[in-house]
């Protein structure tokens, strides 16, 4: 648009029953101020509850049992959470300019007052509103805006036993369904009432550009590419508009230097006060840079700019979008029965996770999205599923997915528990207003369809929409014929024939629509309840043929305990008590968590019904919270590495993909997460990052065969693999190098049986180190470290091993830019005995503020005695952003001697102004060392 101003600051809010003026009075004679009761500073975009928490008017629902002290809308009534939001803004108009007031999302309906004029916004959480306020705007003075926001019509109640979606009444509205609570989430007391997404004013000339649609088509093995573009144009003047409409495509070379790839201009006339649809002639590109998912190539993006000039007025409106040339196809794979995705003609093995939303109170931000999506890319994931009980995610989310290469599976607002099953039995006919649902769905498609990361639309979670909605969605989202033949055979080469039509004139036309998450190549494909399981597993079970019987699992979940410092940050001291371990008659242990852990949905590390021993107790008795959380991280790492390695071991033979339930928590929950709500990674994060490497060496825990995984499109040859076994005494009873290996593209290659278990006296606990490297230059492609016990054994011998003292030499380099610290640590094991190659498991590298507000932990491994140096990647923790100083680069060396293997670790974090951070390195058998003089 020609000029856009986001209204994201200066808002006030007050409960409607405490305000004694009308909307007309508030926006004319009686505007409120921050010093006037009952008005308070408001969070916009945000929700009523987010504003109340900000002003400490209610307890923090994310801390301890604070949520229980907040009045639920079922008990208070809807009026209690009906709120006024108020702000002011400036807007100068001239000539034939027009001004629109835009709301990208309100939950659930609203009455808008601007300078004394009333406008009513219809119901629906997932719809945009654009109001022409040209004749209401004060160009020469401040504009007063008041919005009365009404909660969902059917907020429902919360049964004493809780459950999935409470009493399911929320399903009668077109809104998020998780807000009545789930097995991973406490109820949201206001049901997310508020102006929850962007508010803006936009200024255009007499003609406005509305929702352009971009589509690319490929020929000659992706060498010839055509860009199709269609847009709607609205002439709001009383005269015919003689227009010049142009589209140009640029690509960024470096910095702010852009290269114009294509430019096309068309002349057209638009009748007075009318809307027309215009389609550009195709734009041709030869060998453009393609957009690839994470792990398959670069995420090349082109900036597409559409501008309209009106004769006698100049530029009237403009629109731009970063667009990626790529083609996504899928079909049901004959060999596995799972849905197989292809990007740019290349099959992609899906390894990703389920996503609810970044914050349960809808405190959404570009910065938070950037961190969230970066974390997923760092885990080597290539898909995120936006679950049907959550959001149609925002453009800022999709822009990050575009940039980092995360394919997105986007569901509409249907879930089985709320829409057709559950206790009590829910409404099988979905929302009451089917026309509203379809309007929101179509508007969401228009909002998101130009993002290259968007891979497919799905009707709902574990349920299909009601029949009439499902048929309508299938029709709306039908594929253009060019995109409709995702089979193995070659497609005809040639331009799109006229009979096929222009794909950009479809609502989407480029992506499949699947009616539900358990249908058509997902789970059993028939809609039966066939996803899961969601509990702790024996790691070796993930590798067995019987673990999961279908080709693509959209949900499989497990544990997610954070580190101890997170527990202390989100709970009072009574929540720091570790679970009771009750031994059952069958010999298995039942964990009994404290009430606060139970409220925060803790999932135990044992599963007696599935014959899974307590995985934390495998390491011995637990002393306290720190010991429990440390051992939990070891389990997290093993659990999720095994899950992904087990799935990948059967790539294309049994499986086409898996999505883990779930990657993160929109609340301070204690289950199913790779980083907590404070953005601190669990060790499961690193287990996934290891297992999902595009090129990976791994141990099959069921067969004890060592395998090389190559998910790339390139054949790898002249490889070598080093296999070494280490015992607790530091000796190496088994060492073998396998040379001249080849890893075919998109294949899992078994290499050798790990025969140590079959040796005469294998140790009850031992370490296995696998390295895959190029023979030409010894570059390490994959490094994988296991701590293992004999079948039926445990890790209790590791407890006395903690007393061993390992000498480490640490050098660190620090670069400070503003409030961001980037720390690179080189950690070297300086053990001197060449015949006693000691090994240490370094558990945590902890970045701490002096206020003790946060920590960043990782699970990494260091071995010594080989004399070789290598790097194993880096981990990152991003925390609250504050202003800070730039001190440049400093280097510090602490202790030690110049021998042994070195590991390089990179940390990035942010600190408040005036606070001096320090970094602490702790290990299983390393008592800790603080590096702080290098950080000043």
């Amino acid at each position: 648009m020609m000029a856009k101003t986001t209204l994201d600051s200066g808002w006030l809010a007050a409960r409607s029953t405490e305000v004694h003026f009308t909307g007309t009075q508030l926006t004319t004679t009686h505007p409120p101020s921050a010093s006037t009761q009952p008005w308070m500073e408001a969070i916009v975009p945000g929700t009523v509850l987010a504003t109340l928490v900000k002003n400490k008017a209610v307890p923090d629902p994310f801390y301890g049992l604070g949520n229980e002290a907040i009045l639920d809308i079922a008990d208070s009534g809807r009026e209690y959470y009906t709120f006024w939001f108020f702000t002011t803004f400036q807007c100068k108009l001239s000539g034939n300019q027009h001004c629109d007031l835009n709301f990208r999302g309100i939950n659930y309906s609203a009455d808008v007052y601007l300078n004394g004029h009333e406008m009513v916004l219809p119901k629906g959480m997932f719809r945009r509103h654009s109001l022409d306020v040209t004749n209401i705007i004060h160009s020469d003075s401040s504009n007063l805006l008041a919005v009365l926001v009404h909660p969902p019509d059917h907020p429902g109640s919360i049964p004493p036993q809780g459950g999935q979606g409470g009493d399911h009444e929320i399903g009668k509205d077109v809104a998020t369904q998780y807000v009545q609570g789930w097995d991973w989430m406490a109820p949201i007391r206001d049901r997310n009432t508020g102006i929850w997404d962007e508010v803006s004013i936009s200024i255009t000339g007499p003609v406005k550009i509305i929702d352009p649609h971009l589509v690319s088509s490929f020929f000659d093995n992706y060498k010839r590419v055509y860009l199709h573009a269609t847009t709607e144009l609205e002439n709001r003047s009383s005269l015919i508009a003689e227009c010049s409409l142009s589209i140009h495509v640029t690509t960024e070379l470096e910095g702010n230097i852009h290269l114009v790839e294509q430019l096309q201009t068309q002349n057209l006339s638009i009748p007075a006060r009318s809307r027309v649809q215009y389609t550009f002639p195709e734009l041709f590109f030869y060998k453009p840079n393609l957009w690839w998912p994470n792990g398959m190539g670069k995420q090349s993006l082109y900036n597409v700019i559409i501008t309209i000039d009106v004769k006698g007025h100049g530029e009237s409106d403009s629109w731009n979008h970063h667009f990626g040339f790529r083609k996504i196809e899928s079909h049901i794979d004959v060999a596995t029965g799972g849905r197989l995705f292809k990007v740019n003609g290349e099959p992609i093995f899906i390894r990703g996770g389920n996503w609810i939303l970044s914050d349960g109170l809808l405190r959404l931000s570009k910065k938070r999205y950037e961190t969230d999506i970066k974390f997923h890319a760092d885990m080597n994931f290539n898909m995120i599923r936006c679950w049907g009980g959550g959001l149609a995610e925002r453009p800022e989310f999709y822009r990050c997915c575009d940039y980092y290469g995360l394919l997105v599976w986007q569901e509409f607002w249907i879930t089985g528990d709320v829409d057709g099953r559950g206790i009590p039995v829910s409404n099988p006919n979905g929302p009451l207003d089917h026309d509203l649902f379809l309007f929101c769905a179509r508007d969401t498609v228009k909002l998101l369809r130009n993002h290259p990361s968007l891979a497919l639309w799905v009707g709902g979670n574990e349920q299909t929409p009601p029949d009439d909605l499902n048929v309508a969605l299938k029709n709306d989202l039908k594929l253009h014929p060019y995109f409709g033949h995702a089979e193995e055979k070659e497609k005809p080469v040639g331009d799109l024939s006229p009979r096929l039509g222009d794909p950009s004139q479809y609502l989407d036309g480029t992506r499949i629509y699947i009616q539900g998450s358990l249908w058509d190549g997902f789970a059993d494909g028939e809609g039966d309840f066939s996803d899961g399981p969601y509990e702790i597993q024996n790691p070796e079970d993930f590798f067995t043929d019987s673990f999961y019987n279908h080709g693509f699992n959209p949900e499989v979940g497990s544990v997610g305990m954070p580190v101890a410092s997170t527990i202390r940050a989100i709970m009072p001291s009574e929540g720091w008590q570790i679970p009771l371990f009750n031994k059952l008659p069958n010999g298995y242990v039942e964990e009994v968590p404290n009430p606060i852990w139970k409220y925060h949905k803790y999932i135990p590390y044992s599963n007696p019904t599935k014959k899974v021993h307590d995985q934390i107790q495998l390491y011995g008795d637990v002393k306290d919270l720190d010991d429990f959380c440390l051992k939990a991280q070891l389990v997290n790492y093993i659990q999720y590495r095994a899950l992904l390695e087990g799935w990948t071991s059967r790539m294309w033979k049994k499986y086409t993909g898996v999505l883990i339930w779930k990657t993160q928590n929109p609340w301070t929950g204690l289950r199913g997460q790779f980083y907590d709500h404070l953005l601190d990674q669990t060790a499961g994060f690193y287990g996934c990052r290891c297992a999902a490497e595009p090129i990976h060496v791994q141990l099959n825990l069921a067969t004890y065969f060592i395998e090389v995984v190559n998910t790339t499109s390139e054949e790898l040859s002249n490889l070598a693999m080093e296999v070494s076994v280490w015992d607790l005494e530091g000796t190496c009873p088994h060492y073998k190098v396998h040379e001249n290996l080849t890893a075919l593209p998109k294949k899992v290659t078994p290499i050798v049986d790990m025969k140590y278990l079959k040796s005469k006296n294998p140790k009850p606990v031992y370490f296995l180190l696998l390295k895959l490297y190029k023979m030409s230059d010894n570059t390490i492609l994959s490094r994988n470290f296991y701590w293992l016990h004999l079948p039926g054994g445990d890790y209790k011998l590791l407890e006395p091993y903690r007393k061993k003292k390992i000498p480490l030499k640490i050098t660190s380099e620090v670069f400070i830019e503003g409030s961001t610290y980037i720390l690179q640590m080189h950690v070297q094991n300086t053990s001197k005995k060449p015949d006693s190659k000691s090994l240490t498991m370094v558990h945590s590298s902890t970045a701490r503020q002096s206020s003790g507000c946060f920590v960043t932990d990782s699970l990494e491994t260091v071995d010594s005695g080989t004399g070789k140096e290598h790097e194993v990647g880096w981990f990152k923790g991003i925390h609250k952003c504050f202003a800070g100083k730039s001190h440049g680069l400093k280097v510090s060396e602490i202790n030690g001697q110049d021998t042994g293997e070195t590991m390089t670790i990179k940390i990035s974090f942010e600190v408040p102004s005036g606070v001096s951070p320090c970094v602490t390195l702790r290990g299983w058998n390393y008592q800790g060392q603080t590096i702080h003089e290098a950080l000043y």
Side-chain angles (χ1 to χ4, degrees):
M1 55 194 65
M2 204 167 104
K4 171 183 168 182
T5 302
T6 302
L7 307 181
D8 58 1
S9 62
W11 286 85
L12 302 174
R15 184 170 285 112
S16 63
T17 55
E18 298 175 3
V19 175
H20 304 300
F21 297 106
T22 66
T24 300
Q25 291 172 316
L26 290 173
T27 57
T28 53
T29 58
H30 293 80
S33 67
S35 59
T36 305
Q37 290 293 333
W39 295 91
M40 65 188 83
E41 292 184 15
I43 296 180
V44 175
T47 63
V48 168
L49 189 54
T51 289
L52 293 174
V53 171
K54 171 184 172 65
N55 289 275
K56 296 182 169 40
V58 296
D60 183 351
F62 287 24
Y63 182 83
L65 299 178
N67 195 56
E68 287 295 278
I70 302 174
L71 192 59
D72 192 81
I73 194 172
D75 302 313
S76 67
R78 293 175 68 248
E79 295 79 9
Y80 186 78
Y81 287 109
T82 301
F83 263 63
W84 282 105
F85 292 86
F86 177 88
T87 194
T88 65
F89 62 89
Q90 302 288 329
C91 179
K92 294 188 180 297
L93 297 179
S94 60
N96 281 333
Q97 287 184 331
H98 290 254
C99 180
D100 290 313
L101 174 61
N102 309 298
F103 296 90
R104 211 168 64 182
I106 284 188
N107 190 25
Y108 188 60
S109 63
D111 305 317
V112 177
Y113 295 83
L114 178 61
N115 299 332
H117 296 262
E118 180 184 9
M119 297 158 281
V120 176
L121 299 186
K123 298 174 182 178
M125 184 174 180
F126 300 107
R127 65 185 301 171
R128 295 169 293 169
H129 308 272
S130 185
L131 306 173
D132 186 346
V133 295
T134 305
N135 298 325
I136 302 173
I137 287 293
H138 295 162
S139 287
D140 54 354
S141 62
S142 186
N143 293 278
L144 308 182
L145 173 64
V147 184
L148 181 63
V149 180
H150 304 278
D153 291 347
H154 301 88
S157 60
I158 314 301
Q161 72 275 16
Q164 313 294 72
D167 65 358
H168 309 131
E169 283 292 296
I170 195 69
K172 294 180 178 179
D173 296 332
V174 184
T176 51
Q177 299 186 354
Y178 77 91
V179 291
Q180 281 196 255
W182 224 265
D183 58 7
W184 41 264
M185 184 79 185
I188 303 297
R189 301 306 188 187
D190 69 341
R191 307 296 189 265
N192 279 342
T193 300
I195 308 173
W196 68 276
D197 201 5
E198 179 186 273
V199 185
S200 67
I201 55 170
S202 55
I203 299 173
T204 68
V207 178
K208 178 182 178 182
I209 298 171
I210 301 173
D211 291 331
H213 186 201
L214 308 176
V215 178
S216 53
S217 56
F218 301 83
F219 302 97
D220 294 344
N221 197 26
Y222 297 88
K223 292 178 182 178
R224 287 193 299 134
V225 181
Y226 293 92
L227 177 64
H228 314 266
T230 294
T231 185
E232 192 171 4
L233 302 167
E234 181 184 12
N235 180 5
R236 297 195 277 192
S237 74
S238 57
L239 302 172
I240 294 176
E242 299 295 335
C243 302
S244 172
L245 183 65
S246 65
I247 181 171
H248 67 278
V249 182
T250 66
T251 182
E252 185 171 329
L253 297 179
E254 57 177 290
N256 291 320
I257 301 174
H258 291 78
L259 174 67
V260 177
E261 295 278 355
Q262 286 283 354
L263 175 62
Q264 188 181 104
T265 301
Q266 302 292 321
N267 296 320
L268 65 156
S269 299
I270 306 176
R273 304 201 183 281
S274 65
R275 287 192 179 196
V276 298
Q277 182 171 290
Y278 181 80
T279 299
F280 285 93
E282 296 172 351
L283 277 77
F284 172 72
F285 298 80
Y286 183 68
K287 290 185 177 180
N289 296 321
L290 301 183
W291 183 94
W292 292 96
N294 188 32
M296 292 184 71
K298 293 182 179 180
Q299 290 73 52
S300 299
L301 296 171
Y302 291 77
N303 193 25
V304 180
I305 305 168
I306 298 176
T307 304
I308 188 161
D309 290 88
V310 177
K311 186 176 180 180
H313 300 284
E315 184 177 304
S316 179
D317 199 4
S318 65
W319 175 93
N320 73 88
H321 198 285
H322 283 91
F323 182 75
F325 292 111
R326 62 95 184 99
K327 186 177 182 181
I328 295 177
E329 306 166 277
S330 73
H331 66 275
I332 298 177
D333 179 48
V334 175
T336 64
R339 184 158 290 273
L340 190 154
F341 287 87
K342 288 185 173 183
V343 179
N344 303 331
E346 294 285 344
I348 175 172
F349 187 69
I350 298 296
R351 292 176 292 189
N354 284 266
W355 167 274
I356 315 302
L357 66 165
S358 64
D359 181 74
L361 301 188
L362 300 187
R363 294 168 294 196
L364 311 178
S365 71
K366 294 178 182 177
K367 183 175 180 61
R368 177 82 186 207
Y369 277 137
E370 166 77 17
T371 303
D372 281 319
I373 305 308
K374 176 67 164 61
F375 280 0
H376 286 73
D378 284 347
M379 285 189 283
N380 293 309
F381 283 174
N382 53 31
M383 179 175 277
I384 297 179
R385 173 192 174 211
C386 294
W387 174 75
L391 293 181
E393 265 301 352
R394 303 297 86 198
E396 292 78 12
F397 169 92
Y398 275 90
R399 287 176 197 138
C400 292
C401 290
D402 293 344
Y403 183 80
Y404 286 109
L406 275 299
L407 296 170
V408 183
W409 158 335
Q410 179 67 65
E411 291 181 357
F412 295 109
W413 317 285
I414 296 289
T415 63
D417 299 279
V418 178
D419 297 289
R421 66 163 193 254
I423 302 173
V425 174
S426 54
N427 179 18
N429 202 33
L432 296 181
D433 190 336
H434 286 200
D435 289 338
L436 173 60
F437 183 95
L438 285 174
F439 182 92
C440 291
R442 290 162 181 156
D443 198 51
T444 295
V445 173
K446 292 176 183 178
L447 178 67
L448 302 176
R449 62 190 177 186
N450 293 314
H451 288 280
S453 57
L454 178 57
L456 72 159
W457 303 102
V458 177
N461 166 63
E462 299 174 344
Q463 186 73 312
T464 64
D467 289 344
D468 61 322
L469 293 181
N470 198 31
V471 169
L473 288 172
K474 285 181 180 179
N475 183 63
D476 285 348
L477 296 173
K478 63 180 178 293
L479 287 172
H480 182 277
Y482 168 78
F483 295 92
H485 304 284
E487 300 174 354
E488 295 293 347
K489 63 183 181 181
E490 287 289 323
K491 302 176 184 64
V493 176
D495 296 334
L496 294 173
S497 64
R499 66 183 179 80
L500 295 181
D502 187 331
S504 66
Q505 296 187 47
Y506 282 57
L507 180 63
D508 186 329
T510 68
R511 301 170 178 90
I512 60 167
Y513 167 76
I514 302 294
Q515 59 186 335
S517 66
L518 304 179
W519 279 260
D520 303 323
F522 300 122
D524 75 343
E526 304 291 332
D528 295 321
F529 194 76
S530 51
D531 44 10
Y534 303 92
E535 309 91 4
I536 190 78
Q537 306 291 328
N538 294 308
E540 60 272 18
D541 291 347
F542 291 115
F543 293 83
T544 60
D545 285 326
S546 60
F547 182 75
Y548 188 70
N549 294 322
H550 311 294
F552 193 122
N553 194 343
E555 294 183 15
V556 57
S558 190
V559 292
M561 190 66 186
V563 297
S565 56
T566 293
I567 296 296
R568 293 190 176 97
I570 66 174
M571 296 178 184
S573 57
E574 54 267 32
W576 302 353
Q577 300 300 312
I578 63 175
L580 299 174
F581 296 93
N582 291 340
K583 194 164 186 178
L584 301 177
N586 64 0
Y588 292 87
V589 166
E590 177 188 46
E591 287 184 18
V592 182
N594 69 62
I596 300 181
W597 283 25
K598 186 175 182 180
Y599 189 80
H600 284 254
K601 314 297 184 179
Y602 173 77
I603 186 171
Y605 282 71
S606 63
N607 190 351
T609 60
K610 298 292 181 65
K611 296 184 178 179
V612 180
H613 284 291
D614 194 285
Q615 298 294 291
I616 289 178
Q617 286 198 324
L618 290 181
Y619 294 89
D621 295 334
V622 183
K623 302 179 182 65
D624 52 26
L625 178 65
D626 292 284
D627 193 40
F628 183 92
C629 291
L630 170 62
K631 290 170 178 173
Q633 299 317 307
L634 300 177
V635 179
N636 290 345
Y637 188 92
I638 290 176
Q639 183 77 181
Y640 287 108
R641 179 180 60 180
L643 189 159
L644 283 183
E645 288 184 341
W647 243 270
T648 306
S649 181
R650 286 172 169 75
M651 178 173 66
W652 314 131
K653 294 179 180 178
K654 185 176 175 65
Y655 301 127
T656 60
V658 61
L659 299 174
I660 299 176
W661 183 267
K662 50 194 174 14
T663 56
Q664 44 72 250
N665 271 305
W667 181 61
T668 48
L670 302 180
R671 68 191 309 160
Q673 58 185 353
F674 300 132
Y675 57 94
D676 59 42
H677 195 65
L678 305 181
L679 297 179
D680 195 356
Q681 298 102 327
T682 74
F685 178 103
Y686 301 97
C688 286
R689 188 180 68 172
C690 172
E693 292 175 310
I695 302 167
H696 182 62
V697 59
Q698 66 183 39
L699 175 68
N700 186 311
L701 295 178
T703 65
Y704 273 75
F705 244 80
I706 298 171
E707 305 165 335
V708 172
V709 177
N710 180 8
T711 61
T712 75
S713 302
E714 302 295 327
E715 179 177 321
L716 304 174
S717 59
N718 198 29
L719 304 179
M721 182 178 69
E722 181 183 272
V723 180
S724 57
V725 173
W726 304 82
D727 63 25
L728 297 182
E729 287 70 44
T731 60
C732 183
H734 177 82
Y735 182 88
K736 182 72 173 178
V737 175
H738 303 269
E739 298 183 326
N740 299 315
L741 305 176
T742 297
L744 296 175
K746 309 289 185 184
K747 297 290 184 183
V748 178
T749 305
I751 302 297
V752 67
D753 188 358
M754 208 284 284
K755 297 181 178 179
Y756 176 69
L757 280 179
K758 301 174 183 176
S759 62
K760 287 186 177 180
N761 295 300
K763 297 298 177 72
V765 175
Y766 59 97
F767 304 105
L768 172 66
L769 177 61
L770 304 177
K771 294 182 183 179
L772 182 71
Y773 57 91
K774 295 180 181 179
M775 294 180 64
S776 58
D777 58 6
N778 290 330
T779 300
I780 293 180
L781 301 174
S782 177
R783 181 185 190 275
N784 203 348
F785 179 81
Y786 297 84
W787 50 102
L788 300 165
H789 59 69
L790 296 182
D794 55 43
Y795 293 116
K796 292 179 181 178
L797 288 176
L798 287 176
E799 189 64 34
Y801 182 68
R802 297 173 78 170
K803 297 178 181 178
K804 292 181 179 289
K805 295 184 178 181
I806 305 299
L808 296 180
K809 171 185 174 181
I810 302 172
T811 59
S812 59
E813 301 168 314
V814 181
F815 183 77
I816 307 169
E817 182 176 353
S819 60
T820 300
Y821 283 66
I822 299 174
L823 172 66
Q824 185 162 283
M825 297 170 54
H826 305 278
V827 184
Q828 185 177 47
N829 188 331
T830 60
S831 300
K832 283 188 171 183
K833 293 182 180 180
D835 57 343
S836 179
K837 299 174 181 177
S838 301
L839 181 139
T840 177
M841 289 187 294
V842 177
H843 165 248
S844 65
S845 182
T846 304
R848 294 188 182 276
Q849 295 178 11
S850 57
S851 61
C853 292
F854 63 76
V855 298
T856 302
D857 291 275
S858 81
L859 181 67
E860 298 287 359
T861 61
V862 178
D863 67 316
S864 66
T866 64
K868 297 179 181 178
E869 180 173 329
H870 59 274
E871 296 187 0
V872 293
W874 58 282
F875 62 92
K876 181 179 182 183
I878 299 178
H879 305 278
K880 297 179 181 177
C881 178
F882 301 91
K885 299 179 181 179
S886 178
H887 297 296
L889 181 68
K890 294 187 177 181
V891 179
S892 175
E893 181 175 308
I894 303 173
N895 291 344
Q897 302 161 10
D898 194 17
T899 59
E901 186 181 27
T902 299
M903 174 170 287
T904 299
I905 303 169
K906 190 174 182 180
I907 315 171
S908 174
F909 55 92
E910 297 181 0
V911 298
S913 178
V915 172
S916 298
C918 60
V919 173
T920 300
L921 181 69
R922 294 195 185 96
W924 185 262
N925 55 342
Y926 185 71
Q927 280 60 50
Q929 185 170 318
T930 299
I931 306 108
H932 51 79
E933 59 261 43
L935 304 184
Y936 300 118

